[in-house]
Amino acid sequence: MGASRGFTLVLQFVFILLTTNSNARADRCDEFGICDHVDNYPKEIVQGLIHELKSKNTPVSYDVEDVRISSRFDDFRGELCVSRNEVVAPEKARDTNGIDRIILNDKNDPLQKFYIGTCITTNSGCHKALEFLPNYKGVCVQKTALREMYYLNEKNQTSITYFPVPTCCSCMLQRYN
């Protein structure tokens, strides 16, 4: 009975872990338009276009190193805003005009990967260390940067445009009175 109970607890933990990750992905997809999984992704068309780009020696590899932002701080400091940091190889993204586009990527060998940082709770208060400033409060704000990405256009051809990508959660001081 003890072994089966342990097995059941492990399965429950794995289920929670999997649903938490998929919920985070779904939230990121809905909120920021950066989706790393798309049902009915046109894999064959995309792989053909990637092959064409590579054969023309087009620089398409947007790879990132596994950057640890928190490594800039020593052991005695902490983050001002709680954030989630991850590397994403999107299959779909929302461009600067608000149009969802299919991104050229290969699950097995991602071509366009981005380091993203998202606020766990946007517009929440920053770390309590900022409470000493009179008439100011710290608020966590989501920051984005524009990144070029290759995408599949309406004619099933390669196009390139800019997409806002969430980069970090920043603490902004707001004056109140």
Side-chain angles (χ1 to χ4, degrees), residues 97-117:
N97 295 317
I99 301 169
D100 287 345
R101 306 282 189 181
I102 296 294
I103 303 301
L104 301 187
N105 250 332
D106 183 344
K107 278 271 193 230
N108 299 323
D109 185 21
L111 213 59
Q112 303 178 93
K113 295 191 299 188
F114 300 94
Y115 177 84
I116 66 170

Side-chain angles (χ1 to χ4, degrees), residues 2-176:
S4 67
R5 175 148 169 73
F7 180 72
T8 303
L9 289 175
V10 169
L11 283 178
Q12 287 173 341
F13 174 74
V14 169
F15 176 74
I16 290 169
L17 187 62
L18 289 173
T19 55
T20 301
N21 277 343
S22 64
N23 289 343
R25 280 196 308 255
D27 291 346
R28 178 177 9 85
C29 188
D30 291 341
E31 186 173 352
F32 302 110
I34 302 288
C35 312
D36 53 1
H37 175 74
V38 175
D39 292 333
N40 302 319
Y41 185 75
K43 184 178 177 181
E44 291 78 24
I45 295 171
V46 167
Q47 285 178 338
L49 292 173
I50 290 172
H51 180 71
E52 280 181 31
L53 286 171
K54 286 182 174 181
S55 69
K56 294 177 186 176
N57 293 322
T58 306
V60 293
S61 184
Y62 296 107
D63 201 356
V64 294
E65 293 181 24
D66 189 15
V67 180
R68 300 275 188 246
I69 298 295
S70 61
S71 66
R72 292 183 292 184
F73 302 111
D74 60 30
D75 292 338
F76 302 106
R77 299 183 188 167
E79 293 186 25
L80 296 177
C81 295
V82 180
S83 62
R84 177 183 296 115
N85 302 304
E86 57 189 321
V87 175
V88 174
E91 288 187 350
K92 182 174 80 171
R94 191 169 302 124
D95 69 15
T96 54
N97 295 317
I99 301 169
D100 287 345
R101 306 282 189 181
I102 296 294
I103 303 301
L104 301 187
N105 250 332
D106 183 344
K107 278 271 193 230
N108 299 323
D109 185 21
L111 213 59
Q112 303 178 93
K113 295 191 299 188
F114 300 94
Y115 177 84
I116 66 170
T118 54
C119 296
I120 298 296
T121 52
T122 304
N123 295 322
S124 64
C126 298
H127 193 275
K128 295 189 186 302
L130 294 176
E131 290 180 359
F132 70 92
L133 296 170
N135 300 324
Y136 285 91
K137 66 178 179 175
V139 177
C140 295
V141 177
Q142 181 65 54
K143 296 291 185 172
T144 60
L146 294 179
R147 301 282 189 248
E148 273 189 330
M149 287 190 231
Y150 286 92
Y151 70 92
L152 180 67
N153 69 18
E154 298 79 18
K155 297 177 182 177
N156 286 343
Q157 297 171 336
T158 302
S159 291
I160 189 169
T161 193
Y162 288 97
F163 296 81
V165 174
T167 54
C168 66
C169 188
S170 182
C171 182
M172 306 293 289
L173 288 178
Q174 289 183 344
R175 185 176 178 90
Y176 67 91

